[in-house]
Amino acid sequence: MKGNRITLEDIAKRVGVTKMTVSRYLTNPEKVAKATGLKIKAVIDEFGYVPNRAPVMLSQANTKTIGLAVSSFSNLLFSDLIDGAEARARQAGYEIMLAHTGYRMEEEERKVTQLMSYQVDAMILTDPIHSPLTVKNLKMSNIPVVELMSVIDHPIDMNIGYNHKKIAYAAIKGLINSGRRNIMYLAARMDTRTMDRQAGYLTALREYGMEPHIYGSEAPSNFTIGAETMRKALMEFPQVDAIFCTNDDVAIGAMIACIEQGVRIPDDISILGYNGLNIGDTTIPKLTSIRTARYDMGKSAVELILMRLHNDHTPDTHMELTPMLSLGQTLTMEESQAISRHFDTLYALKLPQFPDPEEMHKRSGRRRLS
Amino acid sequence: MKGNRITLEDIAKRVGVTKMTVSRYLTNPEKVAKATGLKIKAVIDEFGYVPNRAPVMLSQANTKTIGLAVSSFSNLLFSDLIDGAEARARQAGYEIMLAHTGYRMEEEERKVTQLMSYQVDAMILTDPIHSPLTVKNLKMSNIPVVELMSVIDHPIDMNIGYNHKKIAYAAIKGLINSGRRNIMYLAARMDTRTMDRQAGYLTALREYGMEPHIYGSEAPSNFTIGAETMRKALMEFPQVDAIFCTNDDVAIGAMIACIEQGVRIPDDISILGYNGLNIGDTTIPKLTSIRTARYDMGKSAVELILMRLHNDHTPDTHMELTPMLSLGQTLTMEESQAISRHFDTLYALKLPQFPDPEEMHKRSGRRRLS
DNA sequence: TTGTAGGCGTTATCAT
DNA sequence: ATGATAACGCCTACAA
């Protein structure tokens, strides 16, 4: 059971020309006699024809394909990111080749290898940590690589993302300054980003001599996890007056648990989410969340790659993005303002909310290896 | 700016052998002198090496790759389906190559062409309708094709899915038999599946001489849409006593709107979702929903493909799956029982809940669950 | 144990 | 306007 793929040769034989003529017709119809062209068209319409990517991959030419290894398809965050990358890529005549890693380093290694084996011209990664082999293969291949999501210390190549620790720190400080004294961190799936936010939370509490209260589970986050964890927390730590959540899924779960227990939001407890997904827009009360620019991150990653691919000078780019508070009703107005103010202070340098391609290569950072 | 991909030749030159020896070492290390093998290993460790897929694609050999074009990444339904397909594929030494269509036929055509251009050995589709060119290209290539999600009349090749019209019909009948008289259909994104369910809804109402009430929007479904639409419906059609929703997203939105307006569920209004996503498990009350076996669908699609690819006889398989009611608290017990009873009646032939590969090629057509 | 030749589908280059 | 040739990376088959 094997497919019979139609090749240029098949078409050519049927028409009575060589495959070269058919190839020419496909790329440059006017270079072929009108009569011949019509005959070729007729046969293609009859047989169907799908070009084979292999020769392009085999030749030294660019494949005009960018590999994108996202952490997950069940986290809505990444579908926005994919859309942004695909939109920009298509506009430039590139295509995105997709894979997902399930947040696992070995799986990322598999998938990056897979993508590279298709001779992608560049790679976009969303996982924060890579296996040594992944890093080596990428560096040796010398293709542009963009690591998304977090600001990282030693990127393989380019980097666009948020400093989650700093952001968490600023948010918690805002809550403390507004009078909250028993702030809890609601974690889930102890990945790097969750841990970064936790570090920011801990730093802020320590600064004010407060006791940390961290609740969470190893499991992937969802509403159920958020609600269950929150019910437990309300039993064990009833004096809690603010919840900082690692993402909007668990935040909504927590909100459900609070409403169910008759806790008033934000009077008794304020709730702050992370990511600003659409889900939070519908809840009553609407969830206040820290918004990250997912679509733009995907788009900008492709933007950087295109610059690398088309200009020969290589902007060595590490972009830190500024967060925005997505206003809802789960924080008091005062709290929201305090947090926004802290964001403004931390990002006083007016870092871009997403990279501005025009400016990008003026700003240069670390040198690129290889 | 172009990558320097490392080839067998690069490794071979450095070691001082021909690329054939390196190739042999990679596929069959013991066929190479131990000393040579060690030298090759050292150089590969130093340089890194990622095999090039092009030669495999170019040779007549199977690529052991299956194309999967899902409708969406923002619908959680498809991430389960992808997981099922990937798990089964990997187990058999195959890989899945992914693309998404955004529910658009032209986009599906692009993506199917793209996948085919990588010489995939088989294709899995989740969109219900394809462009003529898509169909022709797939048919001419003669590779196994599985269309998932719905039972369809004239599949390109194989088909695994649900009869959404029949399922909706049975569900609505259950509600009517339990005494509901003002049943509303809450639609979203007027895709084929949504329309199928609407058709079942209309058929049932017509049978009882009832007036249909359909609310919805063209926009992709999410909580916001569900809640907004429901608020509107409650104004215009206040006597509504049951809501049949095209998916769980809008169902939860509707639930939020009802709770907010002080409507009691299921006393005043019962709510029935569709798909049985995890989201509905957390809501209070827990959403009652019609569960579809997404993971198993992905897995079974690969299963069918492997059978085609490995045996030469080709089971011409069209599987209709049986739905299950995922019990929650948004229907009365009586209603849930009535619907389950109707499902049992419609599927009295004991259709499989998901295909059983062992049995499948003994009988063509519909089969029983293991 | 290692090497050589040829072929897979397409296109750039160079004939005719 | 069309054809012939070579090249890309790897593997199968055969040779040394």
Side-chain angles (χ1 to χ4, degrees):
Chain A
M1 174 71 233
K2 181 185 308 170
N4 341 330
R5 289 152 186 127
I6 282 93
T7 70
L8 283 188
E9 186 74 51
D10 297 331
I11 309 284
K13 253 190 232 145
R14 173 65 161 253
V15 176
V17 292
T18 61
K19 53 187 177 171
M20 197 53 236
T21 306
V22 181
S23 169
R24 248 191 292 263
Y25 170 76
L26 288 172
T27 49
N28 231 336
E30 66 279 15
K31 291 281 219 170
V32 160
K34 202 167 285 175
T36 317
L38 287 175
K39 270 189 277 181
I40 293 172
K41 185 182 178 339
V43 176
I44 287 180
D45 285 348
E46 184 196 345
F47 283 11
Y49 171 69
V50 177
N52 188 339
R53 295 283 285 161
V56 181
M57 286 164 50
L58 213 40
S59 75
Q60 79 302 11
N62 292 333
T63 53
K64 295 202 142 208
T65 302
I66 298 170
L68 171 50
V70 298
S71 306
S72 162
F73 288 137
S74 57
N75 188 335
L76 292 176
L77 195 153
F78 293 107
S79 71
D80 289 340
L81 192 155
I82 293 170
D83 285 345
E86 274 205 331
R88 186 64 189 89
R90 171 168 318 181
Q91 200 187 331
Y94 278 68
E95 67 184 48
I96 297 289
M97 188 179 277
L98 273 173
H100 75 142
T101 68
Y103 295 97
R104 294 193 310 279
M105 205 194 280
E106 334 79 72
E107 186 63 12
E108 188 192 49
E109 184 179 300
R110 277 179 60 92
K111 294 294 173 65
V112 167
T113 305
Q114 205 178 104
L115 294 169
M116 287 183 71
S117 77
Y118 288 100
Q119 314 301 109
V120 293
D121 289 341
M123 186 80 68
I124 304 174
L125 305 175
T126 67
D127 284 353
I129 305 192
H130 323 287
S131 78
L133 185 59
T134 303
V135 174
K136 196 211 330 230
N137 283 338
L138 285 169
K139 282 192 169 162
M140 288 301 293
S141 78
N142 208 34
I143 58 175
V145 175
V146 182
E147 290 169 88
L148 288 184
M149 309 304 290
S150 301
V151 162
I152 48 185
D153 287 337
H154 302 290
I156 297 174
D157 180 6
M158 299 181 276
N159 174 221
I160 306 178
Y162 293 90
N163 184 329
H164 298 292
K165 177 177 172 184
K166 204 157 94 179
I167 291 168
Y169 172 80
I172 300 296
K173 252 180 105 159
L175 291 172
I176 295 174
N177 294 159
S178 307
R180 301 292 176 175
R181 287 296 169 265
N182 294 287
I183 304 172
M184 161 186 152
Y185 179 51
L186 182 46
R189 183 204 289 290
M190 299 306 181
D191 66 338
T192 314
R193 261 122 35 202
T194 295
M195 298 309 285
D196 286 346
R197 298 191 259 270
Q198 178 168 318
Y201 163 84
L202 288 173
T203 305
L205 290 204
R206 202 173 301 124
E207 196 172 310
Y208 288 83
M210 290 177 180
E211 182 81 7
H213 293 269
I214 298 171
Y215 284 80
S217 77
E218 299 285 336
S221 71
N222 58 39
F223 293 179
T224 315
I225 295 285
E228 281 170 5
T229 311
M230 193 60 215
R231 285 186 201 111
K232 180 161 167 256
L234 283 172
M235 303 274 285
E236 296 177 7
F237 177 40
Q239 67 272 40
V240 55
D241 60 5
I243 313 167
F244 175 54
C245 304
T246 191
N247 65 40
D248 289 353
D249 293 6
V250 289
I252 289 169
M255 202 190 304
I256 289 169
C258 287
I259 291 170
E260 166 198 332
Q261 309 283 323
V263 172
R264 289 170 308 157
I265 304 167
D267 310 311
D268 301 333
I269 296 184
S270 61
I271 301 180
L272 177 58
Y274 208 108
N275 275 335
L277 298 177
N278 155 283
I279 315 176
D281 288 354
T282 352
T283 52
I284 315 266
K286 179 165 178 286
L287 181 66
T288 303
S289 187
I290 294 168
R291 184 182 298 275
T292 53
R294 286 107 42 197
Y295 183 94
D296 288 319
M297 244 192 286
K299 190 176 134 191
S300 303
V302 172
E303 198 79 64
L304 288 188
I305 285 168
L306 292 171
M307 279 167 45
R308 268 287 176 78
L309 253 20
H310 295 150
N311 312 336
D312 253 350
H313 79 99
T314 59
D316 194 29
T317 318
H318 308 111
M319 314 272 336
E320 178 173 346
L321 306 181
T322 64
M324 282 222 330
L325 198 64
S326 160
L327 291 176
Q329 292 109 34
T330 59
L331 293 193
T332 65
M333 190 57 82
E334 189 195 340
E335 286 164 341
S336 294
Q337 284 168 354
I339 292 175
S340 291
R341 214 159 41 234
H342 280 104
F343 284 168
D344 286 349
T345 310
L346 274 177
Y347 291 94
L349 298 175
K350 301 252 177 254
L351 298 180
Q353 280 178 30
F354 53 89
D356 172 359
E358 300 304 298
E359 296 287 334
M360 199 137 350
H361 41 108
K362 295 187 193 149
R363 200 194 290 269
S364 151
R366 342 181 169 227
R367 263 297 303 142
R368 180 147 192 275
L369 288 119
S370 91
Chain B
M1 175 70 234
K2 179 185 311 169
N4 342 329
R5 290 148 188 135
I6 282 97
T7 69
L8 284 189
E9 186 73 51
D10 296 331
I11 309 284
K13 253 191 231 146
R14 173 64 162 254
V15 177
V17 292
T18 61
K19 53 186 176 172
M20 197 52 237
T21 306
V22 181
S23 168
R24 247 192 293 265
Y25 170 76
L26 288 172
T27 49
N28 231 338
E30 67 277 15
K31 292 281 222 172
V32 161
K34 203 167 285 176
T36 317
L38 287 174
K39 271 189 275 182
I40 293 172
K41 184 181 177 343
V43 176
I44 288 181
D45 284 348
E46 184 196 345
F47 282 10
Y49 171 69
V50 177
N52 188 338
R53 295 283 286 160
V56 183
M57 287 164 51
L58 214 39
S59 75
Q60 78 301 9
N62 292 332
T63 53
K64 296 200 140 209
T65 302
I66 298 170
L68 171 50
V70 299
S71 306
S72 162
F73 287 137
S74 58
N75 188 335
L76 291 177
L77 194 153
F78 293 107
S79 70
D80 289 341
L81 193 156
I82 293 170
D83 285 345
E86 275 204 330
R88 185 65 190 89
R90 170 168 320 181
Q91 199 187 333
Y94 278 68
E95 68 184 48
I96 297 287
M97 188 179 276
L98 275 172
H100 74 141
T101 67
Y103 296 95
R104 295 195 310 278
M105 205 195 281
E106 332 80 72
E107 187 63 11
E108 188 193 48
E109 184 178 301
R110 279 179 59 92
K111 294 295 174 64
V112 167
T113 304
Q114 206 178 102
L115 293 170
M116 288 183 70
S117 77
Y118 287 100
Q119 314 302 107
V120 293
D121 289 342
M123 186 80 69
I124 304 173
L125 305 175
T126 67
D127 283 354
I129 306 190
H130 323 287
S131 78
L133 185 59
T134 304
V135 174
K136 197 213 325 233
N137 283 339
L138 284 169
K139 284 195 167 157
M140 289 300 294
S141 79
N142 206 35
I143 59 175
V145 176
V146 182
E147 289 169 88
L148 288 184
M149 308 306 288
S150 300
V151 162
I152 49 184
D153 286 337
H154 302 289
I156 297 175
D157 182 4
M158 299 180 278
N159 175 220
I160 305 178
Y162 293 89
N163 184 329
H164 299 292
K165 178 176 170 184
K166 205 156 93 177
I167 291 168
Y169 172 80
I172 300 296
K173 252 181 104 160
L175 291 172
I176 294 173
N177 294 158
S178 307
R180 300 293 177 177
R181 289 293 168 269
N182 294 288
I183 305 171
M184 160 186 152
Y185 179 51
L186 182 46
R189 182 205 288 290
M190 299 306 180
D191 66 337
T192 314
R193 262 123 33 201
T194 295
M195 299 309 284
D196 286 346
R197 297 192 260 268
Q198 178 168 320
Y201 163 85
L202 288 174
T203 305
L205 289 204
R206 203 173 302 124
E207 196 173 309
Y208 289 82
M210 291 176 179
E211 183 80 7
H213 294 270
I214 298 171
Y215 284 81
S217 78
E218 299 285 335
S221 71
N222 58 38
F223 294 177
T224 316
I225 295 284
E228 280 170 5
T229 311
M230 192 61 215
R231 286 186 200 109
K232 181 161 167 254
L234 282 171
M235 304 274 285
E236 297 177 5
F237 177 41
Q239 66 273 39
V240 55
D241 60 6
I243 314 167
F244 175 54
C245 305
T246 191
N247 66 39
D248 289 352
D249 292 7
V250 290
I252 290 169
M255 202 191 305
I256 289 169
C258 286
I259 291 169
E260 165 198 332
Q261 309 284 321
V263 172
R264 289 170 308 158
I265 303 168
D267 311 312
D268 301 334
I269 295 184
S270 60
I271 301 180
L272 177 57
Y274 208 109
N275 276 335
L277 298 178
N278 156 284
I279 315 175
D281 288 354
T282 351
T283 53
I284 314 265
K286 179 166 178 282
L287 180 66
T288 303
S289 186
I290 294 168
R291 185 183 299 276
T292 52
R294 287 106 42 196
Y295 183 93
D296 288 320
M297 244 192 288
K299 190 177 134 192
S300 303
V302 172
E303 198 79 64
L304 287 186
I305 285 168
L306 292 172
M307 278 167 47
R308 268 289 177 78
L309 252 19
H310 296 148
N311 312 335
D312 252 351
H313 79 99
T314 58
D316 190 29
T317 318
H318 309 111
M319 313 271 336
E320 179 173 345
L321 306 180
T322 63
M324 282 222 329
L325 198 64
S326 159
L327 291 176
Q329 293 109 35
T330 59
L331 294 193
T332 65
M333 189 57 81
E334 188 195 341
E335 286 164 340
S336 294
Q337 284 167 355
I339 291 175
S340 290
R341 216 160 38 234
H342 279 104
F343 284 169
D344 287 348
T345 310
L346 272 177
Y347 291 93
L349 298 176
K350 302 254 180 251
L351 299 181
Q353 281 178 29
F354 54 88
D356 173 359
E358 300 305 298
E359 297 286 335
M360 199 143 342
H361 42 106
K362 295 193 191 142
R363 283 201 218 169
S364 72
R366 339 210 145 190
R367 274 290 317 133
R368 159 98 190 96
L369 164 76
S370 58

